[in-house]
């Protein structure tokens, strides 16, 4: 659990991975791509969704008091 975090709304799912020098963020449209084959994180058309779910990830961090090692590698706005 120390290498990834994730959040989702009714349609989209954001996965954040971080371990030492490696970090990445993935975004999937669960309605149009239920098998999660097409990562939309780099698509400018989904920048607002990505930002919204990143903000939700940070809200959940605070809500759950999550101060695990993941955050040392991922950072507040990394991806």
């Amino acid at each position: 659990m120390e290498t990834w975090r994730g959040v989702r709304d009714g349609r989209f799912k954001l996965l954040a991975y971080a371990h030492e020098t490696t970090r990445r963020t993935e975004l999937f449209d669960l309605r149009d791509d239920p098998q999660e084959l097409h990562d939309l994180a780099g698509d400018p058309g989904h920048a607002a969704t990505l930002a919204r779910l990143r903000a939700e990830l940070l809200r959940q961090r605070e809500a759950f008091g999550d101060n695990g090692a993941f955050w040392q590698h991922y950072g507040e706005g990394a991806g």
Side-chain angles (χ1 to χ4, degrees):
M1 223 21 209
E2 287 302 320
T3 59
W4 69 275
R5 299 289 188 271
V7 294
R8 65 183 216 177
D9 61 14
R11 180 174 177 181
F12 292 96
K13 178 164 103 175
L14 177 132
L15 296 171
Y17 301 92
H19 185 266
E20 296 176 1
T21 60
T22 303
R23 69 179 183 209
R24 77 177 185 275
T25 301
E26 297 176 349
L27 178 68
F28 298 101
D29 183 334
L30 299 175
R31 184 188 71 192
D32 294 342
D33 179 23
Q35 294 179 329
E36 302 176 21
L37 300 175
H38 305 286
D39 179 7
L40 302 172
D43 183 338
H46 291 284
T49 301
L50 184 66
R52 179 175 53 80
L53 289 177
R54 279 184 174 159
E56 180 61 24
L57 185 67
L58 294 175
R59 277 193 292 278
Q60 292 296 321
R61 174 190 182 186
E62 289 187 26
F64 287 98
D66 180 4
N67 293 311
F70 169 85
W71 296 104
Q72 295 170 358
H73 303 298
Y74 187 70
E76 293 286 324

